[in-house]
Amino acid sequence: MNFRLIFIFFLLQYIIPATAQNVVIKSCKITTDHIPADMRRNDFNNKPCALVKVQVLDEIARVEGNKIGKIVDNGGAEKLVYMCQGTRSMRIHLKKHLPVNIVFQEHSISSLEGNRVYEIILEETKSPSNSGGQVVSTPTPTTVVHEQNTLQKFILNYSPANATVIIDSKMVSGDGRIEMELPVGEHNYVIAAEGYIAVEGTVKLNEYSPRTITEELVKDNNSKNNKPKTSAKEKKAKENIKEKTQGLRAAENTPQSPARQSSNTNRTTEISVVKDNTTGANQKEQTIGQKINRFFDKVFKNDLDYVIFRDGRMQSVKILQIDNEKTLVMESGANSASEHYIMNTGIFMLKSNTRGNIVFNRVGERILTTSEPVDVPKGAISIICVDGREIVGYNVRVKDDNVTYNTAKKGKGQQLSLPVTEVFLINYSNGSRDVLTSIIEQDRREQAAEEARIEAERKVHEAEIARIRELQESMRAEAAKPTMKNPKLATIVTKKGVRMKVWVCEDTPTIVSYKKAKTAKSPVIKLKKSNIKSITY
């Protein structure tokens, strides 16, 4: 029995992993190391990345910030993270610890530089229960399962079926559906077809469940194979404008009185025909028809996109590029405007006139993508829901914690309602907005819930460690007790002052059994504890 207890005790010494309450930044510095040519990476603007070496006794779940590509496990505790140059901060999410925020300015680094190597050392802060001097063994490397060794199923549905699909820089054949197994982690894919706008994306695979993505390519109206078709509404508008143009041209060719000329000038102003101020002998004056066509293009062709931020703000831009962590935009859609990046963590929705609506969660991950833009007719009201849906309605009313709307104009169609808690904002036709549910507060609640869950798991883990340590102590004490087969040498001093060295076979609260010699034939003598002054083993 005692042999089994001793065996279990030493076995537990090797299988109990170390626990840490949190990690702190021990050091963050720039090194003199150089990145080998075969290990260098460029960002989406073809600029060299910075290499950040993270030393931590844990696995990195993900990194928030301007990260490029996958995290590389360099063996041991070192992980390699590639970041865009100019990055000022990053947030590291660990699997067994709370996230760590790193602001480089706090470590005398203004921002990361391309082709430079930085080193960050994260150190565990031990839990209070481990302050007694005991060393808890860390898990052996063979027990760690790295992401790149675990495969997960990835299903990609796409249309048109004859599109070319590239996954992780490798062409993959399929007929509208691809089903394959990939290592757990991030993977990039590109879908392209002639006459359609190409789609680029990133998918994150975890080790728990397969991932399915559906992508529908949108036809490219600027392509030669897809000439834009004129709708009935545009045809009617062009006919009306043509009639007005013919009337204006006839008026120009007929001698008129000054009063009649003034009347025609007003008619010209009504359809926004602006006189051309350009001069030059070799430049012909634009005709009224050309000016009217220019006005028609401004009215019916809207190439602007929109960014809806998580705080309810809305900005008209031209979306140039959507990356995994940030979006490149041009303000107001003008060619002369400056380009800049917007972090996806601050975006709720991108309204693209070519790719549809793209919705992000609080950590910047895409959670919803529509295949086509949502058309909001004139006079209609756009209702943006918390889950990313966009509903077009009329006669919208907010009453008794409900949002009621009609599906058609002038009270026609079906009358529907939504709880206020499901509506993020209402965008009225006059440009005003009502924010009904704060996405920022919802993000804070979700983050607090996640931190509470991590803290609860940490407490449960610590309680389990404390229970096992208590079991170890009891087993250690049990193993240290003297037995008949394993007597312990001790010095007994009686209350009468007699001192003797003996082999104690049993030590109970009332009686001590001992032998004078450690032999099988030596008799066992029992002595009451009330007659003993002290026992020293």
Side-chain angles (χ1 to χ4, degrees), residues 437-457:
T437 302
S438 175
I439 295 295
I440 300 295
E441 290 298 326
Q442 181 174 297
D443 292 344
R444 289 173 182 169
R445 289 195 296 268
E446 290 180 359
Q447 184 175 1
E450 181 181 358
E451 293 178 353
R453 181 185 59 80
I454 295 175
E455 180 68 14
E457 290 179 355

Side-chain angles (χ1 to χ4, degrees), residues 373-388:
V374 178
D375 182 27
V376 182
K378 184 179 180 181
I381 298 174
S382 173
I383 303 173
I384 308 295
C385 298
V386 173
D387 58 6

Side-chain angles (χ1 to χ4, degrees), residues 260-298:
R260 186 69 177 270
Q261 291 177 357
S262 175
S263 175
N264 284 335
T265 302
N266 293 336
R267 291 177 62 189
T268 305
T269 305
E270 288 177 0
I271 57 174
S272 301
V273 178
V274 182
K275 184 177 180 181
D276 191 2
N277 293 323
T278 58
T279 59
N282 297 328
Q283 185 172 3
K284 295 181 179 180
E285 184 180 358
Q286 291 181 324
T287 64
I288 296 178
Q290 290 174 330
K291 297 176 183 178
I292 293 176
N293 288 334
R294 183 194 302 171
F295 165 72
F296 174 82
D297 291 339
K298 289 183 179 180

Side-chain angles (χ1 to χ4, degrees), residues 265-537:
T265 302
N266 293 336
R267 291 177 62 189
T268 305
T269 305
E270 288 177 0
I271 57 174
S272 301
V273 178
V274 182
K275 184 177 180 181
D276 191 2
N277 293 323
T278 58
T279 59
N282 297 328
Q283 185 172 3
K284 295 181 179 180
E285 184 180 358
Q286 291 181 324
T287 64
I288 296 178
Q290 290 174 330
K291 297 176 183 178
I292 293 176
N293 288 334
R294 183 194 302 171
F295 165 72
F296 174 82
D297 291 339
K298 289 183 179 180
V299 171
F300 292 100
K301 293 183 180 179
N302 183 11
D303 294 333
L304 290 182
D305 306 318
Y306 292 93
V307 178
I308 300 178
F309 294 91
R310 305 191 76 80
D311 58 3
R313 291 179 295 119
M314 198 168 178
Q315 182 180 2
S316 60
V317 297
K318 183 67 177 177
I319 299 174
L320 303 178
Q321 179 178 314
I322 304 174
D323 298 340
N324 192 32
E325 297 173 348
K326 58 186 182 299
T327 300
L328 180 64
V329 300
M330 179 188 294
E331 292 187 5
S332 302
N335 296 329
S336 60
S338 61
E339 301 176 2
H340 67 278
Y341 280 103
I342 301 176
M343 299 304 297
N344 294 344
T345 52
I347 299 174
F348 176 77
M349 177 187 290
L350 294 176
K351 289 181 63 64
S352 171
N353 64 80
T354 57
R355 294 191 58 182
N357 295 349
I358 302 171
V359 185
F360 300 88
N361 60 12
R362 63 183 179 85
V363 295
E365 298 174 338
R366 303 184 199 187
I367 59 174
L368 179 65
T369 301
T370 60
S371 58
E372 295 182 357
V374 178
D375 182 27
V376 182
K378 184 179 180 181
I381 298 174
S382 173
I383 303 173
I384 308 295
C385 298
V386 173
D387 58 6
R389 292 176 297 133
E390 183 175 8
I391 301 173
V392 178
Y394 300 86
N395 193 22
V396 176
R397 300 174 299 280
V398 180
K399 185 178 180 182
D400 297 334
D401 297 330
N402 285 311
V403 177
T404 306
Y405 64 95
N406 290 83
T407 58
K409 291 182 179 180
K410 299 179 180 179
K412 298 180 181 179
Q414 192 177 4
Q415 188 178 45
L416 302 175
S417 63
L418 288 170
V420 171
T421 54
E422 295 183 8
V423 178
F424 172 30
L425 63 84
I426 300 175
N427 191 20
Y428 296 96
S429 57
N430 60 1
S432 61
R433 295 185 300 277
D434 282 342
V435 178
L436 302 185
T437 302
S438 175
I439 295 295
I440 300 295
E441 290 298 326
Q442 181 174 297
D443 292 344
R444 289 173 182 169
R445 289 195 296 268
E446 290 180 359
Q447 184 175 1
E450 181 181 358
E451 293 178 353
R453 181 185 59 80
I454 295 175
E455 180 68 14
E457 290 179 355
R458 184 186 63 80
K459 289 182 178 180
V460 170
H461 189 57
E462 287 184 350
E464 183 67 16
I465 293 297
R467 186 187 66 81
I468 295 176
R469 284 178 179 160
E470 185 179 351
L471 177 61
Q472 286 181 335
E473 290 295 333
S474 62
M475 293 170 59
R476 187 182 291 109
E478 187 69 25
K481 286 183 179 181
T483 61
M484 289 292 182
K485 293 183 179 181
N486 187 26
K488 303 292 183 182
L489 182 62
T491 300
I492 297 178
V493 179
T494 64
K495 290 184 177 180
K496 293 182 179 181
V498 178
R499 179 185 296 269
M500 52 186 176
K501 278 192 175 183
V502 296
W503 292 90
V504 177
C505 302
E506 187 178 8
D507 189 350
T508 67
T510 58
I511 295 176
V512 174
S513 301
Y514 65 90
K515 295 180 179 182
K516 291 186 177 181
K518 190 180 180 182
T519 60
K521 295 181 179 181
S522 179
V524 177
I525 303 171
K526 293 185 178 182
L527 183 64
K528 292 182 179 181
K529 274 286 188 71
S530 58
N531 296 328
I532 298 175
K533 183 178 180 180
S534 64
I535 301 177
T536 305
Y537 288 97

